[in-house]
Amino acid sequence: MERKAVVGGRWARTPFALLGVLASCLAGCSTTIVRDAPSGDPGGSAGATSPSATGGSSGALGGSANGAGGSSSVNGGASAGQSTGGNSASSGGTGSSGGTGATGGSGTTAPPQSQCADQSAVMPGRAPLRRLTKVEYNNTVRDLLGDTTQPAYALPTELSGNGFGNDADQQPVPEVLAEGYESLAADIASRMTASPTLLGALDACASNPTSASESSCARTIIQKFVPKAYRRPLATGEADDYAALYQSVRANDTFASAIAAVIEAVLQSPEFLYRVEFGVADAANPSLKRPTGYEMATRLSYFFWKTMPDAELTAAAERGDLGTSSGVRAQAERLVADAKTRDTVRFFFEGLLPLTGVTDEARDPLQYPSFSSAIGALMLTETRTYLDYEVFDGPGTWSGILTEPYTFVNQTLATYYGIPGVTGDSFQKVPVDTTQRLGLLTQGAIMTGTTVTNFTNPVRRGAFILNQLMCRNLQVPIGLMVTPPDPYSAATARERYSLHSKNSACAGCHQQLDPMGFPFENYDAVGLYRTTENGETIDASGAVPDMDDGEVSGPLELIQKLAQNDEVQACFASKWLDFGYGQTLNGGSPDDVCTREALAAKFREGGFNVKNLLVELTQTDGFLYLGAQE
Amino acid sequence: MTTNKFRLSRRAVIRGAGTIAIGLPWLECMEDDVKAQAAPATAQRFVGVYQPGGTVIDKWRPTGSESAPVYGTILAPLEPVKDKLIVVDGLEMKSAIGEQHQSGMVAFLTGAVQAVAQKYSASRPGADSASLDQIIASKISKNVKPMASLQVAVRWATGKSHGLLSPINALNFEDTTANAPMPPRLEPSEIWTALFGRLSPMTATMDEALLRKKSILDFVDKRYTALATRMGASDRAKLEDHLDKIREIENGLTETGMPVIAACKPPTLIDTSDYNAKSGLNSADDGSLKDTQTDQAIPKVGTLMMDMLVMALACERTAVATLQWSDSEAKHTFPWLNLSEHHHYYQHDGGFNAPACEKIAIWYSQMHLHLLQSMAAVDMGGHTLLDESVVLFGSEISDPPTHKKQNMPFLVAGNGGGLRTGRWLKYSGGSHSNLLVSILNLFGDSRSKFGNTQYCDGPLTSPSLT
């Protein structure tokens, strides 16, 4: 994906350079740590990006991280594929602490001087062709034709791709999908033309056309409907093509059927199903391309609302308002305030957090008599309600989301948690016992969603934080047999998982994973607070890896540390980039790295406000400009 | 054989004659390759069946000898078709590298490496990323039959796949596009309609509707063609791939009626309204609960799926099909076996429960018996459908508590391509990719490596499948 030379090495030190410290895990553990999908090696970090670094080079990896201070190799180090080396854990430890110091990976140290700070160079990144996702298709036909049946749920499932199901690079078209589009289009078109009233909704002329007026009426509908569906004005000849299709069907069939044929064709056309961008030369710098006004309206609309542009966006495009960053910002501020953005934010969190499975979890009823899948569903509502309130009605910051002293419960869930004084079925905001819980991560849905059996698994919980909240992307080691310990082998999880620290082959990774997971041992497999397990007091101490003063005595301290951690904040912005731009941003691409860094800086300047972050996502080079055609 | 307004396109006839010996007399007459008569006829159909969660090896492994195996409890239900079966024992799924279950899903039919959990490897050096079934489909079915291949699944996308296609659940990979997993068809009534909906004689109205559909698809075809030329190479490839699939639909429409084939007897479409094929899908939006009603309907729906699959072959709708029982999550219950926890729970989520896993494996053998007996009951003109087919049965792991990929429990059935059945073949740790390439050879593809070549030594020789 690397299409241009590195610009003065200026991308080398970013908050993501912290990822170099992952070499510490590589050194001690036969595992795979992949940061994105490195396709190039722009930093020139020889060896570090080798898919199979062996033996002695493990030590070299640690050294690479260690020397990360001014070296551009650190990103490459993070993108190392697979180490089969069995170097000692201690060498990894060295690399780890060195990396930390060099890159300022703690919450208290000021972030390093940016090397992407040169504002004069525009780095737009990629703009691959995107197909509408199922959710986008549903919303688009709702706004285009008033079809509220969410028909696209009948389509085959999408690839998870970047974790949000909208990765432009992972949208293959199996035949069953093409068939699905065909049958959806036929179905929608026939429903939308089923009566004179419905035809009249397309244009008044169509409710009662005469043989003399039919063909001009069809033309009227085409000129009204197709540009909306294409999300741009029609080019010369396009209306004629549709008129010809209308005529050829009308020769053997009814007026309604011929109009339906036009709709059916539109709904299968690439201009409707794909977000096509050709762009225009930037007025200020003709060597650069910006999306056209209509293409920008489409970008904005699908980013905030997951649907086609509304009339106001289209008008702004027509006026030429969307060719400047301020014009885009003005619309972004309008869009983010609309209720439709709430659905998009919810969708994001459900891709980020282990939420969707929570209603499926089955637990041993003897061991957990008060838990049921119905409780799981209430937990999901709790977290959804909390996030929605927090982002749109509350303080709205990511650090706040992680630490608020309240949650939302109804009577049943309050009883389950042991919160007194809540009655009724509706969810209400209640303070939590701040000696037991704080913010999002201690909620039942997260604690239950990160547990897949009747026994908590600190590794799974640690991996969730490291991967989804810190973007470290640790992977299950290749070729290593991973078997959770016998649940009856010891009283507490810390003892059961103690093999990790004893076995040096495991320690490299697990010295990150386990200290992040153990603090959550105060929450059982169904999200209830506990201080003992099998009669033994739980030691809930742990640490945020590679963070100065990162040791914690329990979950509440851990939550506070995470909320102050640069890596956690930068990761949140990065996940939004992947989701918002429908890609997997590439740690090997200078454009993507600088876009990430610019956004992380904006996020920090905005006090980690989420709505502000969404607006800033429209102000990056990646959003305002158009990369080369692929 | 008579046809009812049946028209086989010239291209299809040419391809048919050039690549396969279809088991129909009038096409056999067209076969002009004399040498092909001497060698065993190539296999005509391929069926792949996936069962999640491996087996209990000491209950699965036969005793006795190669030619006189004695089945243990898990294979015992297959006794009636023993002479049509090869038990392939002792192979290791060496290419299954990556996440414990997912890598097995990826490798089962591709012999390719996954490498990264939750994802597909961006590049798999030396690998043909296509799955065996799709390569066979390109060879014998695409543009010859109305449907290039059929993928169906029962109780699919359970658990943590979040309703999305992922290495947790995908088995089939496109032959024409790299790293493109294919979603299976799920809804029984939709599958029935797609397969058998146009078997009745054409009416004038149906002719008109087809004509209209052709005009629309022809129009859409031109839109893709025109737009593709304006794109860069990679985006153009996306649109051209989409166009290719639209043309497959168009290709299916050129046939304006179905041939009358004596063996073609579409199954009755039973009521499956108690079965929610999409249970577990789209869960990001509605959050789905444990669906015991749908679980209860699995045996009924599974049987219907197998019946439809067999008739899809007998009715010449396609020559390649795969059936997926659930996915590697296997998070559904077995109420008809009185097992109220999900399969993964018995595999290891709740600690390895060998008796439960054995019970489940026995049930899958009973289901597989139904498939093989149904194929053996179809007379294709002097021989049975099973005689001309190759049916591969396998899983993503062998041993549930450890996720091991040694001693994979594979079964190969049918006599397509000269398979010598009725045997128990013992291998000591060869790669399962060798089995895949051996199967490919039965279809007249002479390549000696398949998948990631480093995990493939070549076709199985001692003993060989034929």
Side-chain angles (χ1 to χ4, degrees):
Chain A
M1 251 57 69
E2 194 206 356
R3 294 190 313 275
K4 56 206 264 186
V6 178
V7 182
R10 66 193 185 110
W11 57 283
R13 290 184 62 196
T14 76
F16 296 90
L18 290 171
L19 292 159
V21 302
L22 284 188
S24 65
C25 179
L26 284 174
C29 180
S30 167
T31 189
T32 297
I33 294 150
V34 175
R35 174 70 205 161
D36 296 321
S39 60
D41 184 13
S45 55
T49 52
S50 158
S52 178
T54 54
S57 63
S58 292
L61 285 174
S64 165
N66 205 356
S71 156
S72 63
S73 71
V74 65
N75 284 283
S79 65
Q82 173 188 4
S83 164
T84 53
N87 219 333
S88 76
S90 65
S91 82
T94 307
S96 168
S97 59
T100 303
T103 53
S106 82
T108 51
T109 313
Q113 177 66 43
S114 167
Q115 309 234 350
C116 291
D118 174 9
Q119 295 295 322
S120 63
V122 173
M123 306 180 80
R126 302 176 57 217
L129 186 64
R130 267 161 278 210
R131 203 179 66 227
L132 301 187
T133 64
K134 292 202 276 189
V135 169
E136 289 167 347
Y137 187 106
N138 284 338
N139 293 344
T140 305
V141 295
R142 175 197 66 202
D143 296 341
L144 181 66
L145 288 160
D147 185 317
T148 55
T149 62
Q150 306 201 314
Y153 284 148
L155 294 175
T157 71
E158 291 156 333
L159 263 162
S160 56
N162 59 3
F164 300 100
N166 71 347
D167 191 328
D169 291 323
Q170 297 194 50
Q171 296 188 312
V173 183
E175 210 219 328
V176 61
L177 179 64
E179 259 176 46
Y181 283 141
E182 201 270 336
S183 81
L184 278 195
D187 190 42
I188 294 168
S190 104
R191 277 192 280 116
M192 291 301 151
T193 53
S195 70
T197 317
L198 286 162
L199 279 164
L202 295 168
D203 189 274
C205 72
S207 57
N208 191 18
T210 65
S211 53
S213 72
E214 268 183 18
S215 108
S216 72
C217 180
R219 176 64 95 158
T220 305
I221 289 173
I222 287 166
Q223 280 170 339
K224 206 161 133 183
F225 173 71
V226 184
K228 267 179 87 178
Y230 278 19
R231 306 176 283 269
R232 62 162 171 78
L234 294 186
T236 315
E238 284 181 326
D240 296 342
D241 291 345
Y242 276 103
L245 173 66
Y246 163 83
Q247 291 297 351
S248 80
V249 175
R250 183 68 185 97
N252 302 309
D253 226 326
T254 63
F255 172 74
S257 169
I259 293 294
V262 168
I263 297 174
E264 209 172 319
V266 167
L267 294 181
Q268 292 179 77
S269 69
E271 290 86 351
F272 172 78
L273 288 175
Y274 290 84
R275 288 159 57 186
V276 180
E277 296 180 321
F278 288 110
V280 285
D282 179 35
N285 184 350
S287 68
L288 292 169
K289 273 206 292 187
R290 283 179 183 269
T292 67
Y294 296 100
E295 289 163 5
M296 181 55 83
T298 299
R299 275 192 176 193
L300 282 164
S301 184
Y302 281 94
F303 171 65
F304 284 102
W305 292 351
K306 299 210 160 287
T307 189
M308 60 186 275
D310 66 352
E312 207 171 323
L313 264 174
T314 307
E318 249 162 40
R319 287 192 303 267
D321 288 356
L322 302 179
T324 63
S325 57
S326 58
V328 171
R329 180 183 285 276
Q331 285 298 324
E333 280 167 357
R334 177 177 74 87
L335 298 176
V336 78
D338 187 280
K340 284 198 279 258
T341 301
R342 290 177 182 244
D343 290 337
T344 302
V345 169
R346 179 166 68 89
F347 198 91
F348 167 79
F349 279 117
E350 286 175 18
L352 183 76
L353 305 172
L355 292 178
T356 47
V358 77
T359 54
D360 273 333
E361 294 299 348
R363 296 284 187 267
D364 179 0
L366 293 175
Q367 213 172 336
Y368 302 106
S370 63
F371 183 80
S372 65
S373 52
I375 291 288
L378 294 177
M379 288 174 167
L380 179 61
T381 306
E382 173 194 4
T383 298
R384 280 179 174 172
T385 310
Y386 173 82
L387 289 168
D388 187 64
Y389 168 85
E390 195 63 22
V391 173
F392 291 98
D393 307 312
T397 66
W398 179 224
S399 43
I401 289 168
L402 294 173
T403 54
E404 298 296 3
Y406 51 79
T407 190
F408 288 79
V409 290
N410 67 0
Q411 184 175 350
T412 308
L413 192 59
T415 307
Y416 176 79
Y417 284 137
I419 300 172
V422 179
T423 54
D425 283 343
S426 64
F427 278 70
Q428 44 200 281
K429 188 173 159 212
V430 297
V432 293
D433 179 345
T434 54
T435 64
Q436 296 185 357
R437 294 181 196 265
L438 272 185
L440 172 72
L441 299 179
T442 61
Q443 288 176 0
I446 307 292
M447 290 296 96
T448 307
T450 48
T451 310
V452 296
T453 70
N454 291 317
F455 303 95
T456 56
N457 182 334
V459 176
R460 199 176 277 270
R461 285 173 171 175
F464 157 64
I465 304 282
L466 287 163
N467 287 341
Q468 294 297 85
L469 265 48
M470 300 178 83
C471 293
R472 289 198 170 197
N473 222 350
L474 272 84
Q475 299 292 344
V476 177
I478 281 176
L480 197 73
M481 210 54 72
V482 175
T483 313
D486 176 354
Y488 303 103
S489 61
T492 66
R494 185 181 292 269
E495 294 169 73
R496 292 195 293 274
Y497 285 83
S498 63
L499 180 68
H500 289 156
S501 51
K502 289 177 191 153
N503 182 334
S504 64
C506 305
C509 285
H510 283 281
Q511 66 190 10
Q512 293 182 65
L513 285 163
D514 300 2
M516 190 66 100
F518 284 139
F520 292 109
E521 279 304 300
N522 278 147
Y523 312 94
D524 69 11
V526 293
L528 291 174
Y529 187 78
R530 64 178 179 186
T531 53
T532 61
E533 183 178 14
N534 296 314
E536 272 189 38
T537 301
I538 290 169
D539 170 5
S541 64
V544 181
D546 311 308
M547 185 173 181
D548 285 349
D549 196 22
E551 290 75 24
V552 300
S553 61
L556 305 182
E557 258 183 71
L558 178 70
I559 298 294
Q560 296 288 8
K561 297 263 184 199
L562 287 175
Q564 296 159 16
N565 185 290
D566 285 344
E567 212 176 333
V568 170
Q569 304 292 3
C571 178
F572 187 76
S574 179
K575 290 282 183 188
W576 262 104
L577 274 173
D578 283 356
F579 171 61
Y581 293 4
Q583 297 181 39
T584 302
L585 262 66
N586 181 354
S589 151
D591 286 28
D592 287 357
V593 168
C594 286
T595 294
R596 262 192 198 141
E597 179 177 335
L599 190 69
K602 292 285 182 193
F603 192 35
R604 194 180 311 119
E605 284 164 30
F608 305 116
N609 182 284
V610 178
K611 276 198 289 184
N612 180 65
L613 173 70
L614 266 57
V615 172
E616 291 299 339
L617 274 152
T618 70
Q619 300 295 303
T620 66
D621 289 351
F623 200 91
L624 291 170
Y625 293 89
L626 190 62
Q629 238 188 3
E630 302 203 355
Chain B
M1 182 174 119
T2 58
T3 63
N4 180 10
K5 293 183 73 177
F6 175 59
R7 183 157 57 86
L8 195 59
S9 77
R10 184 173 169 276
R11 182 173 63 158
V13 173
I14 291 167
R15 278 175 185 259
T19 54
I20 57 164
I22 292 182
L24 299 173
W26 65 281
L27 265 183
E28 268 172 17
C29 298
M30 296 171 163
E31 174 68 67
D32 58 2
D33 185 347
V34 183
K35 277 183 223 158
Q37 307 289 349
T42 55
Q44 313 284 304
R45 333 259 168 188
F46 177 77
V47 178
V49 182
Y50 163 78
Q51 176 230 296
T55 193
V56 182
I57 193 71
D58 56 330
K59 306 287 182 187
W60 177 86
R61 178 167 281 154
T63 54
S65 65
E66 173 179 333
S67 56
V70 179
Y71 285 174
T73 53
I74 288 178
L75 294 182
L78 290 161
E79 196 69 34
V81 290
K82 198 177 197 176
D83 61 337
K84 290 289 179 188
L85 208 57
I86 303 175
V87 178
V88 181
D89 186 6
L91 293 179
E92 178 181 356
M93 202 141 69
K94 291 187 175 172
S95 56
I97 293 173
E99 199 275 342
Q100 317 277 9
H101 289 273
Q102 297 166 20
S103 62
M105 295 298 288
V106 174
F108 174 36
L109 293 177
T110 68
V113 169
Q114 178 199 17
V116 186
Q118 306 300 341
K119 292 181 180 166
Y120 298 103
S121 169
S123 64
R124 297 188 246 171
D128 190 332
S129 62
S131 56
L132 180 66
D133 57 300
Q134 291 304 303
I135 294 171
I136 294 172
S138 288
K139 205 170 163 55
I140 67 169
S141 196
K142 192 177 181 185
N143 295 324
V144 179
K145 310 281 191 238
M147 234 183 224
S149 63
L150 173 70
Q151 291 76 233
V152 299
V154 181
R155 199 62 176 93
W156 185 80
T158 62
K160 298 217 157 31
S161 58
H162 293 224
L164 294 169
L165 188 67
S166 86
I168 294 170
N169 50 38
L171 206 60
N172 312 93
F173 294 80
E174 300 257 9
D175 187 24
T176 46
T177 315
N179 287 315
M182 303 166 72
R185 294 171 196 260
L186 304 174
E187 174 56 51
S189 61
E190 286 172 12
I191 295 168
W192 195 95
T193 305
L195 288 171
F196 312 115
R198 284 195 284 117
L199 284 179
S200 49
M202 297 297 289
T203 63
T205 323
M206 287 164 79
D207 260 351
E208 270 170 28
L210 275 182
L211 201 66
R212 177 178 177 279
K213 193 132 283 191
K214 271 179 73 68
S215 306
I216 294 167
L217 286 173
D218 189 49
F219 179 90
V220 172
D221 184 322
K222 290 198 180 82
R223 297 300 323 160
Y224 279 86
T225 310
L227 188 61
T229 58
R230 300 176 60 204
M231 311 301 278
S234 138
D235 287 345
R236 184 165 64 234
K238 286 185 194 178
L239 292 179
E240 283 172 349
D241 185 41
H242 196 144
L243 176 59
D244 189 46
K245 303 302 158 50
I246 289 168
R247 286 186 175 155
E248 279 185 44
I249 303 175
E250 292 185 87
N251 181 51
L253 293 180
T254 60
E255 155 212 48
T256 54
M258 282 295 297
V260 176
I261 299 169
C264 175
K265 299 185 183 79
T268 307
L269 180 59
I270 52 166
D271 177 20
T272 57
S273 56
D274 52 342
Y275 174 81
N276 177 9
K278 301 247 157 73
S279 188
L281 272 69
N282 305 318
S283 55
D285 293 90
D286 56 25
S288 54
L289 301 167
K290 199 173 190 177
D291 190 347
T292 45
Q293 179 180 296
T294 292
D295 291 352
Q296 183 70 51
I298 289 173
K300 173 180 83 176
V301 170
T303 305
L304 173 63
M305 291 287 204
M306 290 187 283
D307 293 345
M308 290 195 291
L309 185 154
V310 170
M311 278 302 143
L313 302 174
C315 298
E316 302 293 356
R317 302 298 292 159
T318 187
V320 172
T322 50
L323 166 67
Q324 217 179 316
W325 292 101
S326 193
D327 51 70
S328 73
E329 280 282 276
K331 295 245 170 96
H332 68 77
T333 61
F334 299 78
W336 66 96
L337 297 177
N338 293 318
L339 295 174
S340 60
E341 297 292 348
H342 57 73
H343 190 174
H344 219 125
Y345 182 89
Y346 298 123
Q347 290 173 40
H348 43 242
D349 279 3
F352 179 43
N353 183 333
C357 287
E358 182 187 355
K359 209 168 169 184
I360 291 166
I362 290 171
W363 181 75
Y364 279 121
S365 289
Q366 291 163 354
M367 290 291 106
H368 201 48
L369 174 72
H370 177 83
L371 176 73
L372 299 180
Q373 284 188 321
S374 303
M375 291 180 74
V378 178
D379 180 2
M380 299 302 283
H383 65 276
T384 74
L385 180 61
L386 188 57
D387 288 337
E388 60 182 43
S389 302
V390 177
V391 183
L392 171 66
F393 182 95
S395 192
E396 88 281 12
I397 57 171
S398 60
D399 184 40
T402 61
H403 301 101
K404 275 182 189 158
K405 315 281 191 308
Q406 291 98 3
N407 295 316
M408 290 298 297
F410 291 118
L411 301 174
V412 176
N415 297 108
L419 277 176
R420 278 201 303 123
T421 49
R423 296 185 296 153
W424 166 34
L425 305 185
K426 286 172 277 187
Y427 300 93
S428 49
S431 171
H432 104 291
S433 304
N434 303 347
L435 171 63
L436 299 184
V437 76
S438 301
I439 291 173
L440 198 48
N441 292 167
L442 299 172
F443 289 85
D445 184 315
S446 60
R447 77 183 76 179
S448 60
K449 298 267 186 168
F450 183 76
N452 277 102
T453 50
Q454 70 197 98
Y455 302 110
C456 185
D457 316 304
L460 297 168
T461 49
S462 51
S464 106
L465 294 179
T466 54

